[in-house]
Amino acid sequence: MPADALAELVERLLVHVRAGTTELAGAEYEEPVGAYADGGRFALERERFFGGDVPLVVGLAGQLPAPHTFVPFDDYGVPLLLRRDGAGRFRAFLNVCRHRGARVVEQAGSARRMTCGYHGWTYDDGGALVGVPGAAGFDGIDRACRGLVEVPAGEAGGLLFVKPRAGAAPFDATGWLGGLAPFLDEREVATRPYLTDRILDRPTNWKSAMDTFAEVYHFASTHRNTLAERTISDTMVTDTFGPHQRFAAPTRTITDYGTDPALAPLDVMSLVHLIYPNATLLVSTRSIQLYTVAPGRAPGESLMRQRFFAPAAPETEAERAALVEMCDFYFQVVRDEDWAKAEAVEAGLRSGANQTVVFGRNELCLHRMHDAWRAGLGLPTLSRRFVRESA
Ligand code: FES
Ligand SMILES: [Fe+2]
């Protein structure tokens, strides 16, 4: 079935590539500028999306490749400790020592026990407090009540999800990801070796950053000398999975698919998964890339983290060097092309020139993404209708 699912996407793309068309929404979509620039809207988003009620992507399984591995993660405003326990289960804790609140884990590593660097309190695999230096000084406290605070966490399709708030309601990651979970399992996302983690910090609204991932209409202009040499601009087919989406975009070799036996489906298209509300997962033969975006302190600030995973572990120095080169290439593309545009958009939104931004019928993933955000905030949705048709 995995090959069939991909082959079907290729066939859907070929219809458009041969006709010079793309999937279209029934009408354009106009989003008021205030959705990006308004302080009240921004505060509501921080509370509703990033305050602990929505499961958020914090990484991929490859970052915690074995029992007892851990990694700190701070992007969502609370210090988190992501960890695989001795049984291999993914768990998350507030990365806050129960003595006086220092960070227990400062960097990624692997250990059965974790010791806070401030005074040396030690916690076990499950977060229980198991070591207190100078124990006589604390013989009046109940250690059983001083374990690390656990927060709801789950793993599905290779994606690691956390609700970043103590006391948040538990969730089912597989149910949350819906139909994308088996699809990403078939792509073996969970087994991809982790390569690098970088921050992209240009001043822009977090949704403007997400917008850069949701269409390929910009490829011919923004990526004229880079990605557009490989990928056809303004051609995509889309699918929805609850609030999440997936689209496929064709490479220029797609018309050789079927006649060139060397071409597998993933050689002739890229898959982009928009994971509500703030993550993007790119899957191609060359790499798996995860982008998570977090709001900053003001509407025009955000933090984007880019993570790379290899199709397979490099076996030679030459393979490793090629992967590093690829990571550098994509980092520069996103920073100097996509995010440079997002930064310019931020200034434009504040200029008063536009009352709304308009998403074309060919930018239909943007319609759905903005409607999903609106729905999540209890705001009226704006799309008039979704239909699949050719230009
Ligand atoms: S704050 Fe961690 S041991 Fe003191
Ligand atoms: Fe782009």
Side-chain angles (χ1 to χ4, degrees), residues 212 218-219 222-223 227 338:
T212 66
H218 69 284
F219 271 46
T222 300
H223 302 309
L227 305 182
D338 292 300

Side-chain angles (χ1 to χ4, degrees), residues 207-225:
K207 297 195 302 300
S208 294
M210 282 296 292
D211 287 351
T212 66
F213 292 113
E215 43 85 8
V216 291
Y217 175 44
H218 69 284
F219 271 46
S221 300
T222 300
H223 302 309
R224 183 169 48 240
N225 301 316

Side-chain angles (χ1 to χ4, degrees), residues 9 66 70 74-75 87 101 111 137 145 173 178 188 205 231 248 289 291 298 302-303 311 318 332 334-335 340 351:
L9 284 170
F70 53 81
D74 286 2
D75 295 6
C145 298
E188 299 179 334
N205 181 263
T231 299
Q289 298 174 36
Y291 296 85
S302 55
L303 178 133
Q332 285 161 21
V334 175
R335 182 192 61 194
S351 70

Side-chain angles (χ1 to χ4, degrees), residues 163-365:
K163 280 186 172 179
R165 191 184 75 224
F171 65 95
D172 168 31
T174 303
W176 172 246
L177 198 51
L180 274 183
F183 182 80
L184 294 176
D185 282 340
E186 288 162 0
R187 308 283 81 73
E188 299 179 334
V189 170
T191 66
R192 309 299 178 153
Y194 166 65
L195 291 175
T196 65
D197 184 325
R198 302 186 208 197
I199 295 286
L200 290 138
D201 60 347
R202 280 186 183 269
T204 192
N205 181 263
W206 72 276
K207 297 195 302 300
S208 294
M210 282 296 292
D211 287 351
T212 66
F213 292 113
E215 43 85 8
V216 291
Y217 175 44
H218 69 284
F219 271 46
S221 300
T222 300
H223 302 309
R224 183 169 48 240
N225 301 316
T226 53
L227 305 182
E229 291 179 356
R230 180 171 187 265
T231 299
I232 298 173
S233 190
D234 202 16
T235 304
M236 66 198 298
V237 296
T238 74
D239 292 286
T240 59
F241 303 85
H244 318 299
Q245 301 186 69
R246 178 192 64 215
F247 72 79
T251 67
R252 297 191 178 281
T253 56
I254 194 167
T255 46
D256 296 330
Y257 179 77
T259 54
D260 181 347
L263 288 176
L266 269 183
D267 292 324
V268 299
M269 64 180 172
S270 293
L271 299 175
V272 179
H273 309 79
L274 302 166
I275 312 297
Y276 175 89
N278 71 322
T280 304
L281 178 69
L282 277 57
V283 176
S284 74
T285 38
R286 302 199 293 186
S287 71
I288 305 268
Q289 298 174 36
L290 175 69
Y291 296 85
T292 51
V293 188
R297 285 166 297 182
E301 296 177 7
S302 55
L303 178 133
M304 171 139 70
R305 188 175 294 274
Q306 177 189 49
R307 271 153 281 186
F308 282 93
F309 301 81
E315 291 181 1
T316 64
E317 262 318 301
E319 281 180 23
R320 176 168 294 282
L323 286 169
V324 169
E325 193 178 323
M326 181 200 64
C327 295
D328 290 345
F329 169 74
Y330 280 106
F331 178 72
Q332 285 161 21
V333 165
V334 175
R335 182 192 61 194
D336 299 341
E337 298 181 3
D338 292 300
W339 259 41
K341 295 293 185 292
E343 183 177 350
V345 163
E346 186 61 34
L349 289 171
R350 291 165 191 285
S351 70
N354 296 327
Q355 302 306 304
T356 65
V357 295
V358 58
F359 304 140
R361 297 172 65 207
N362 55 336
E363 299 178 289
L364 72 175
C365 287

Side-chain angles (χ1 to χ4, degrees), residues 96-104 116-123 133:
V96 178
C97 182
R98 300 302 307 283
H99 174 215
R100 279 167 48 194
R103 207 176 293 260
V104 177
C116 174
Y118 199 171
H119 311 89
W121 282 29
T122 295
Y123 302 88

